[in-house]
């Protein structure tokens, strides 16, 4: 939950946006999740735990007058509405100027909940480095990816400021290659051509015109020059004209040139 001061604006024919939504994905039925707790509010304690024993410990009465003591070591289990991770104060030390920057406390809660100590955290769009700083502070290994060279500078500077020491950071500018695919056949082999022809129903992946298989060429969706591999999911069939126009560029270029939606 966030206040209007953090970006919500009144006006128009809709309610003022007052919250952000976190999407939660897992790679399978087995995944890491640690229940999180937040401190009890004074109002919650006063309302729920009205009694105090001779030692000063607060408790409430249950069935048959059994006492349930307040366990302040854990706090209240966190629900799916978070009201204690407040927007970044414009004058806060962690403020970097990135318009999409999230509070450090928010990323710390996500990392605590979804990873183990000593585990690995990946942020493929690391931007202003908040995920990296949170992961480093919680004893996780981490890797960040970003298209902007400024992100590398921010990661280094913020970790140094936050931890009070300089951690060795490996900065890679090369394109990592996949090593989990094993030996792959040549990208334009006949089995690949037949599989792609069936998937595309004989149509060019660019102009969508139908061709006989011998008139279609195997093309990389993501060019090998920028990290694309020869696995089938990264291949498509294009007619000769579309393949020449696209070259080693992305499909966005081809669609723009062909004025496709």
């Amino acid at each position: 939950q966030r206040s209007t001061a953090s970006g919500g604006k009144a006006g128009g024919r809709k309610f003022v946006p007052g919250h952000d939504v976190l999407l939660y994905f897992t790679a399978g039925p087995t995944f890491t999740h640690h229940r999180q707790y937040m401190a009890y509010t004074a109002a919650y304690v006063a309302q729920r735990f009205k009694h105090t024993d001779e030692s000063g410990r607060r408790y409430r009465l249950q069935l048959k007058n059994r006492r349930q003591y307040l366990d302040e070591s854990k706090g209240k289990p966190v629900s799916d509405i978070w009201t204690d991770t407040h927007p970044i104060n414009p004058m806060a030390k962690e403020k970097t100027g990135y318009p999409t920057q999230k509070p450090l406390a928010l990323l710390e809660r996500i990392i605590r909940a979804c990873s183990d100590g000593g585990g690995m955290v990946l942020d493929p769009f690391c931007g202003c480095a908040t995920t990296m700083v949170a992961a480093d502070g919680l004893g996780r290994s981490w890797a960040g990816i970003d298209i902007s060279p400024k992100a590398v500078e921010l990661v280094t500077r913020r970790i140094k400021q936050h931890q009070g020491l300089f951690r060795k950071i490996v900065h890679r500018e090369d394109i990592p290659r996949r090593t989990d695919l094993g030996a792959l056949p040549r990208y334009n082999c006949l089995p690949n051509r037949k599989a792609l022809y069936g998937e595309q129903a004989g149509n060019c992946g660019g102009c969508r015109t139908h061709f006989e298989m011998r008139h279609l060429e195997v093309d990389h969706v993501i060019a090998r020059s920028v990290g694309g591999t020869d696995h089938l999911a990264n291949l498509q069939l294009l007619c000769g004209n579309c393949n020449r126009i696209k070259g080693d560029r992305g499909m966005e270029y081809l669609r723009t040139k062909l004025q496709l939606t």
Side-chain angles (χ1 to χ4, degrees), residues 4 16 21 27 40 44 49 51 55-56 65 75 86 88 90-91 95 100 117-118 161-162 170 181 193 212 217 243:
T4 54
V16 177
V21 177
Y40 292 117
Y44 176 88
F49 296 87
H51 307 284
S55 301
N65 287 329
H86 303 294
I88 302 174
M91 302 303 293
K95 189 73 173 178
T100 58
Q161 291 175 344
H162 190 260
V170 178
L181 298 173
R193 292 175 63 85
E212 294 182 13
E217 303 172 359
N243 203 7

Side-chain angles (χ1 to χ4, degrees), residues 166-206:
F166 184 76
R167 297 290 182 92
K168 183 179 179 181
I169 299 174
V170 178
H171 175 206
R172 294 185 57 172
E173 295 183 333
D174 61 310
I175 299 173
R177 302 291 179 178
R178 289 185 63 168
T179 60
D180 61 330
L181 298 173
L184 291 173
R186 183 172 174 79
Y187 77 97
N188 60 353
C189 66
L190 184 59
N192 281 352
R193 292 175 63 85
K194 288 182 176 180
L196 292 168
Y197 192 79
E199 288 179 7
Q200 297 180 201
N203 299 321
C204 169

Side-chain angles (χ1 to χ4, degrees), residues 99-119:
T100 58
Q101 182 181 359
K102 300 297 185 291
L104 185 62
L106 173 65
L107 272 301
E108 287 175 340
R109 172 170 291 168
I110 293 172
I111 291 171
R112 285 194 187 98
C114 302
S115 68
D116 297 315

